[in-house]
Amino acid sequence: MNKNYYAVLMAGGVGSRFWPISISGYPKQFHDMLGTGDTLIQKTFKRLNKFVPTENILILTNERYNDLVLEQLPLVKQEQVVLEPAMRNTAPCILYAAMKIQKMNPDGVMIVAPSDHWIEDEDAFAKDVTTCFEKCEKEEVLCTLGIKPTFPNTGFGYIEFEKGQEVELKKVHQFREKPDYETAKEFLAQGNFLWNAGIFMWSVKTIIKSFADYQKEQFDLFDSGMSCYNTSDEAAFIKENYPKAENISIDYAILENSKSIYVLPATFDWNDLGTWGSLYDKLDKDENNNAVVNSKVIAHDASGNMIRSPKDKIVVIDGLNDYIIVDKEDVLLIYPKSKEQDIKQVLNKVKAKFGDEYA
């Protein structure tokens, strides 16, 4: 295993579209959403650990999830858990992690990956990431993995690469915001657009130089703590200075400015597991085309449902089609799959009426 390979797992999100299972105190990455016996963060850790040494995997998360990380990832030591004392989007935490890695190993190359994605062929994933790592070791470039679109999805950002390139890694022309349906159809027709999976690779030298070039204030803030990183002084420095960082995503801070970004069209199946509907799509179905997690189901005249309950609970449904049915100790959600994008608003109503403990 290459000692220069590092991974940063992004594990700070709340995943509110998976309410009521995912709540702010216990978000989706710490749940076994697929019913496999592993939580999403455990699956992601194992996937990366196939080619990244255990001690080189950092977990970027909010302070409140520190104990959950250590409980679910027993191979991880406390110093590998990079804690954010404030929510400041993705750019500050990536810069912070890169500076910690640079101090450990100036020759390090790193992958930044969400902790809650579904990836089918893990060997293909490892091969694609290694291909990008090898380019990042030789050249001053930023790399990303793009997903070949299968339909005009309006829920993802897109990566437009330059046409006429016969090479494996393609030069990125620009990142495009989530489109409307007609624009998404145009993207697919043009043939040089990929879904942005939010998986990035670069050398620590290149990403830190990119911050120095494009986000000088952010760079100076974190660079002032270089002597503290990976020492007992780090926590105090971060507690005082991290909240001063600008709230900005890596996309806006760096990717939209850089002129040397390359995308590798992924060779594996991918899903961002962003909603109950996307989870339904990836799960095996029963004879009535229902996707079932943990439950024992008796269904009559009921199909296309996403059903989840506490383990081995018996669920009987009749006459329900295309619904999300999620039973939890203190909340029962029965909601049309077609309206799953409204679950965030439902959550806000529940909080307003019954209190934050349900959110």
Side-chain angles (χ1 to χ4, degrees), residues 3 60 152-153 162 193 197 231 284 300 326:
K3 64 179 175 38
L60 268 177
N153 194 317
E162 294 176 2
F193 283 81
T231 75
D284 293 333
H300 177 73
V326 181

Side-chain angles (χ1 to χ4, degrees), residues 21 32-37 276-300 302-317 320 323-327 337:
I21 295 300
D32 176 9
M33 299 301 298
L34 296 153
T36 62
W276 285 112
S278 64
L279 180 62
Y280 171 86
D281 290 341
K282 286 303 165 195
L283 290 169
D284 293 333
K285 315 297 188 292
D286 67 9
E287 65 277 10
N288 296 303
N289 213 29
N290 297 308
V292 179
V293 177
N294 294 340
S295 321
K296 295 175 177 175
V297 173
I298 295 176
H300 177 73
S303 67
N305 298 298
M306 173 69 236
I307 304 163
R308 183 192 169 105
S309 71
K311 197 153 188 65
D312 293 331
K313 189 167 190 176
I314 295 170
V315 178
V316 182
I317 53 173
L320 273 183
Y323 267 74
I324 299 161
I325 303 158
V326 181
D327 188 20
K337 267 197 334 214

Side-chain angles (χ1 to χ4, degrees), residues 88-118:
R88 286 294 179 273
N89 216 314
T90 52
C93 58
I94 288 171
L95 176 59
Y96 172 27
M99 286 187 164
K100 280 175 66 68
I101 293 169
Q102 186 186 45
K103 199 171 174 188
M104 296 179 220
N105 181 356
D107 296 321
V109 290
M110 60 189 275
I111 175 173
V112 176
S115 60
D116 52 5
H117 286 182
W118 176 93

Side-chain angles (χ1 to χ4, degrees), residues 62-262:
N62 192 274
E63 282 180 338
R64 68 192 301 188
Y65 306 138
N66 184 61
D67 291 347
L68 275 172
V69 169
L70 294 173
E71 176 190 320
Q72 294 201 2
L73 302 177
L75 295 177
V76 166
K77 297 185 175 75
Q78 179 64 68
E79 56 265 30
Q80 291 170 251
V81 187
V82 183
L83 299 173
E84 306 167 75
M87 301 286 268
R88 286 294 179 273
N89 216 314
T90 52
C93 58
I94 288 171
L95 176 59
Y96 172 27
M99 286 187 164
K100 280 175 66 68
I101 293 169
Q102 186 186 45
K103 199 171 174 188
M104 296 179 220
N105 181 356
D107 296 321
V109 290
M110 60 189 275
I111 175 173
V112 176
S115 60
D116 52 5
H117 286 182
W118 176 93
I119 287 170
E120 175 76 24
D121 187 340
E122 299 196 338
D123 291 335
F125 170 78
K127 183 176 176 294
D128 285 354
V129 174
T130 304
T131 298
C132 292
F133 274 172
E134 287 168 356
K135 187 173 181 72
C136 294
E137 284 182 311
K138 295 177 195 148
E139 301 174 46
E140 199 175 290
V141 296
L142 307 174
C143 289
T144 183
L145 298 178
I147 309 301
K148 294 166 189 169
T150 51
F151 67 99
N153 194 317
T154 59
F156 297 148
Y158 284 71
I159 301 166
E160 180 184 357
F161 59 85
E162 294 176 2
K163 286 186 172 178
Q165 301 179 77
E166 299 305 317
V167 291
E168 196 175 20
L169 274 148
K170 302 179 187 302
K171 186 92 172 357
V172 171
H173 176 59
Q174 62 180 329
F175 288 81
R176 302 289 289 265
E177 294 293 315
K178 294 174 184 176
D180 59 30
Y181 184 70
E182 289 304 316
T183 306
K185 284 204 297 188
E186 286 173 23
F187 287 174
L188 265 65
Q190 288 182 47
N192 61 321
F193 283 81
L194 301 165
W195 288 336
N196 183 0
I199 302 171
F200 306 108
M201 288 115 319
W202 37 57
S203 70
V204 291
K205 286 176 186 166
T206 300
I207 190 62
I208 290 171
K209 183 178 183 298
S210 298
F211 271 94
D213 290 343
Y214 305 121
Q215 296 289 323
K216 186 73 166 62
E217 203 172 309
Q218 195 101 277
F219 169 80
D220 287 344
L221 176 68
F222 284 93
D223 189 52
S224 68
M226 189 57 85
S227 63
C228 302
Y229 297 143
N230 309 329
T231 75
S232 56
D233 296 326
E234 180 179 332
F237 171 82
I238 287 298
K239 188 171 183 180
E240 181 185 344
N241 290 282
Y242 198 93
K244 299 174 188 172
E246 183 186 354
N247 188 335
I248 186 171
S249 72
I250 193 70
D251 304 63
Y252 285 122
I254 303 299
L255 302 179
E256 293 200 353
N257 293 300
S258 176
K259 302 294 183 285
S260 53
I261 304 178
Y262 289 81

